[in-house]
Amino acid sequence: MRIEGPIEAYEDLPAGLAEQVAALEAQAWPGSSSGHDPALRPRAVLLLDAGGRVAACLALLHKPVRLADGRTYRAAGLSGVVTRADLRGRGYGSRLVAAARAGLAADPAVDLALFSCDRELVPFYEAAGFEVLPGTVLVGGTPAEPLATDAPGLDKTVLAAFPAGSADGEGRADQVRAAFTGIRVPLYPGTIDRLW
């Protein structure tokens, strides 16, 4: 197994790999549209088996997030994390998510990785190095049609990772963590990737 990516643009996936990713997403989320909003600068991260087939995949989405205090942060989020059904339970998804987190941590253009997941998946993402943000709510969708992680019927938890890529290292990571803990984050990624 080998990690490929992040591929610079999601739409630059070779046709065969793009078809496999679309098929995996369709199996995991029947009825949902495949693909991601190009405005979010999606990047694909793939785990390929020895035959070059997609074993697991995810998308990294990017967006500036402006908080109520007027500061803007460069956020990246995980979306569409899926492992091929016949390969689940072997740690491939964990390996892929950990590689994506490490890649984001090394990216000087990212202030934080931020996303939501179903509550039962929290231990999976924590094992890959993400942390729960207590009291934090992501508000997705659009300002006119918001979708919040605390909406009735959703059981989502917000997780994050904080790269220490600036000159002041962990001090900067602590500042960003404090800014995003216990607040409603106006993510608003649009109508395609409503919550990433």
Side-chain angles (χ1 to χ4, degrees):
M1 298 281 177
R2 73 178 193 278
I3 304 283
E4 289 287 324
I7 295 172
E8 281 308 306
Y10 209 77
E11 56 272 2
D12 289 343
L13 277 170
L17 293 178
E19 290 166 7
Q20 291 178 57
V21 168
L24 281 175
E25 289 177 351
Q27 285 177 353
W29 303 283
S32 66
S33 62
S34 64
H36 300 279
D37 187 338
L40 299 175
R41 299 184 347 264
R43 306 291 182 254
V45 183
L46 311 174
L47 180 66
L48 303 179
D49 66 17
R53 291 182 34 208
V54 177
C57 60
L58 62 80
L60 300 176
L61 306 177
H62 301 79
K63 184 180 187 302
V65 175
R66 186 175 178 90
L67 298 184
D69 64 6
R71 290 181 290 175
T72 299
Y73 297 87
R74 300 163 302 176
L78 275 62
S79 182
V81 179
V82 63
T83 300
R84 214 169 66 207
D86 63 318
L87 297 175
R88 290 185 186 146
R90 299 180 189 185
Y92 298 142
S94 297
R95 183 173 159 194
L96 183 70
V97 169
R101 189 200 51 75
L104 290 171
D107 186 343
V110 173
D111 293 317
L112 76 157
L114 179 73
F115 64 99
S116 64
C117 72
D118 293 336
R119 190 169 309 279
E120 67 269 11
L121 294 175
V122 168
F124 170 80
Y125 288 106
E126 286 179 321
F130 290 95
E131 63 185 81
V132 171
L133 288 181
T136 300
V137 174
L138 292 185
V139 183
T142 66
E145 294 183 33
L147 175 63
T149 55
D150 64 351
L154 290 182
D155 191 21
K156 302 287 185 184
T157 299
V158 177
L159 293 107
F162 303 93
S166 64
D168 55 357
E170 277 304 314
R172 170 70 175 160
D174 290 342
Q175 290 173 352
V176 177
R177 180 182 293 105
F180 279 83
T181 300
I183 67 165
R184 295 182 77 77
V185 178
L187 184 62
Y188 300 128
T191 58
I192 297 172
D193 297 283
R194 294 189 69 203
L195 276 177
W196 69 28

